[in-house]
Amino acid sequence: MDRNRLHNKVASMRRSLFDQGYLDDQFIQLEDLQDDTNPNFVQEVVTLFYNDSARLIQNIEQALNSRPIDFCKLDDYMHQFKGSSSSIGAKKVTNECTAFREYCNAENAEGCIRSFQQVKQEYAILKRKLEVYLQTVRQASQTA
Amino acid sequence: MNVSSAKGSMSISSSTSTWKAGDTISDQFPAGLRVLVVDDDPTCLMILEKMLIACLYKVTKCNRAEMALSKLRENKNGYDIVLSDVHMPDMDGFKLLEHIGLEMDLPVIMMSADDGKQVVMKGVTHGACDYLIKPVRIEALKNIWQHVVRKRKNEWKEFEQSGSVEEGDRQPKQSDDADYSSSANEGNWKGSKKRKDEEEETDERDDTSTLKKPRVVWSVELHQQFVAAVNQLGIDKAVPKKILELMNVPGLTRENVASHLQKYRLYLRRLSGVSQHQSNLSTIISAQDPTFGSLSSLSGLDLQTLAATGQLPAQSLARLQAAGLGRATAKSGVPITLVDQRNIFSFENPKLRFGEGQQQHMTNKQQVNLLHGIPTTMEPKQLVSLRHAAQSIGNMNMQVPPHGAQSSQNNPLLMQMGQQQQQSRGQILVDSAINHAPRLSSSMGQPILSNGIATNVSSRNGIPENIRAPGYSQTPSMLNFPMNHASELPGNSFPLGSTPGVSNLTSKGAFQEDVNSEIKGSGGFMPSYDVFNDLNQHKPRSWELQNVGMAFDTSQHSNSLQGNLDITQSALGQQGFSSGQMNGHNRSAAVASKAMFSTGDAKELGSAQNVNQHLNNLLVDNTIRVKSERVCDTNPANIFPDHFGQDDLMSALLKQQESVASSENEFDFDGYSMNNIPV
């Protein structure tokens, strides 16, 4: 793919990520931080997020599987997870986290479990999309 | 730069010299600002670091609070500002905040994804300069340097004020330059932030001003020496210069002491305000308000400051002092700011007061071991303060009230007074506690508890008292409380149990430290010091838990007023003390309560102190004439109206004032309608 097409592709992918609500303004903050001294900053942060949050996801799973459910701990984990995801601008994921916390506060186990499925789903979708997007970005920057 | 006074020059000239980067940095300020960022989330940490670097700051990051603290400690002057997450696994962000405030006095900004009001409030009360909601944007970080400047400026100003005598020219303006100076300078005169009262002895400044003063780390022993000195001098007389002399620590400057004293006072205030539970009893003793020293001097302090400076973390202090006491650190740790209505004025104070009151009851001017029932878990500091408080009770019972009373009105004076009271109370209490630790636990235990409870109540109730405060705020001398009784303040004697208000009264009595200081109405507080007298009479135990609330010695009440408000509104009602629950402005209540107590009843002192907290409101409300003996006599029922508007409190207080008869033992609570006590 020639450079222009790649760049166009990047632009349109990016636009759609925002338009469809997967990413929000915070992601732009990350992009703004990227510069020549740190040309892969966005990629690094996203990678770090996914690696670190895997641990949190696991903790939440465990907490949801234990009986009785410790809602306090659950809320705690989710709070951390939400903080993390919001810091990279993962809008849909963050929204699902908020919904989850509501169920958690209500101590609604069923609701929590269902909601968490949503969280994981959005999390996975975004991960894929970002991977593709960032890969395209890399390609575009390489084809100078 | 003004070199006229070492201090002044310190800031200016030294600032540049101490400025890390050297003189060039000052030109580029805020570039080069040394930021320490703490967050356990690696993603956030990475992003923050990058953002801060983009702002041209010098960033140090760590993902653990303990690590951050040790970095700060090993390089005391190496950072200008700290950014910390609230939620961290190894240590609560607020706790870290307190440690930093106490030990290094750096501006701290809290961050969290949680934007709930409670949490943000907690940040404020623990002394955070700012609170950022995550995700943090770079724009928010671009301006954090303002907190550094502001802090330096305030310190400078305070410094100036205290030393104003000497140099008129060294003015806060210079502080602007100084502000940019690195934190190296700060250490010295940090404490001076708004502690005007402390700074009264300006002359002393010259002894220590040096251009560059390295930050002092207050170790446990050093702090204990400090507390001992403060107690020895008496909270009202504890001025930096004298403390410095007593401590006799080479290399320690007056500014260091001043700065630390300020923090200590806030800490004490916070302690008294926050403790709500019985367990707080011990902490209460720590007398929260370090600034308590003298009512009049309080004037400079405004709640804000207190709140801000209330960084004295209970925990830190506890840590510092708790060596043997193992006391529960000040519960509230939160500055007595008005915001923390619940128990800003922890019952602790009231409790202490009771102890004191009781003690006082026995000996007017003696050190009351108010603490005798108080569990000696109190930290040494607390004990010291208790003791001190006991002493001071005689003299200054009412200091605190002003504080509380005014809170509603935000009279700085009042607040200060309240603060001071608390402090002094705390000190007294502590001292007493220390001295009488064994006794305390047994005897005080109860009262304290009740205090705690009462304080809560009283704090609420106290508000009415505070209402009056507004009026009083004007007169810094609010402390007019008839301190005559000081020694007598039954503090504990008043049947605090009955009404929270009462408890306040007692505390007031406690405050009465100076028998002669009458609480003139003009002072704004309460003419009803009589209450204290009565209080004195009761046996210390008289204040049952119920009463305790009220009786919380005014000292406490300022703090506790808030917290306790909810609790025993009715209780207070009885006493008529609504310790100044005023809208959560314990301070005023405390003041009010103080005023009330100032009936010159030394006995009351004891109680006054406790009440103080609550009383803050009470004080203001002269109506709280607490009948010494009964705390619960007055019909508590209406004592606490639900919302005690400050105005109501003030008016109540004013009313009370007028009606303040000299009859010491009369607590006419009728005047107080606790109705206004905001619950």
Side-chain angles (χ1 to χ4, degrees), chain A residues 25-26 29-30 33 35 38 41 44-45 48-49 52 76 79-80 83-84 86-88, chain B residues 40-44 46-47 50-52 54 87 112-114 134-139:
Chain A
D25 215 36
Q26 191 64 18
Q29 294 262 317
L30 298 189
L33 287 171
D35 55 19
N38 240 156
F41 181 70
E44 285 168 18
V45 174
L48 180 57
F49 166 71
D52 185 60
D76 220 36
H79 174 76
Q80 294 178 50
S84 231
S86 69
S87 73
I88 67 157
Chain B
D40 63 313
D41 184 318
T43 313
C44 292
M46 185 179 188
I47 296 172
K50 192 72 177 65
M51 285 180 170
L52 290 165
H87 187 290
S112 179
D114 193 351
K134 285 184 174 178
V136 179
R137 298 174 62 88
I138 194 170
E139 292 84 35

Side-chain angles (χ1 to χ4, degrees), chain B residues 468-485:
Chain B
R468 298 279 222 116
Y472 297 97
S473 49
Q474 331 235 330
T475 48
S477 46
M478 298 213 304
L479 304 190
N480 301 321
F481 310 98
M483 303 279 209
N484 309 308
H485 301 288

Side-chain angles (χ1 to χ4, degrees), chain B residues 537-557:
Chain B
Q537 307 169 2
H538 316 310
K539 8 221 192 142
R541 301 292 164 81
S542 55
W543 13 291
E544 307 313 319
L545 291 185
Q546 316 122 24
N547 290 338
V548 174
M550 305 252 310
F552 279 108
D553 287 334
T554 47
S555 53
Q556 294 271 343
H557 63 214

Side-chain angles (χ1 to χ4, degrees), chain B residues 71 235 245 249 260 288 290 420 484 611:
Chain B
K71 276 189 204 269
I235 193 70
E245 284 165 13
V249 170
H260 195 72
Q288 9 201 306
Q420 289 197 339
N484 309 308
V611 178

Side-chain angles (χ1 to χ4, degrees), chain B residues 559-625:
Chain B
N559 304 322
S560 52
L561 288 178
Q562 303 189 340
N564 304 326
L565 291 182
D566 16 66
I567 302 184
T568 46
Q569 292 202 335
S570 51
L572 287 178
Q574 303 176 353
Q575 299 286 343
F577 264 116
S578 18
S579 35
Q581 309 258 346
M582 318 214 286
N583 318 315
H585 295 304
N586 296 335
R587 300 250 206 132
S588 24
V591 175
S593 41
K594 291 211 192 163
M596 307 240 313
F597 291 107
S598 52
T599 42
D601 236 344
K603 308 188 238 174
E604 314 269 7
L605 282 179
S607 48
Q609 299 198 328
N610 295 332
V611 178
N612 209 9
Q613 293 186 338
H614 311 289
L615 290 183
N616 284 330
N617 301 322
L618 289 177
L619 288 179
V620 177
D621 204 336
N622 283 324
T623 54
I624 303 189
R625 302 251 211 128

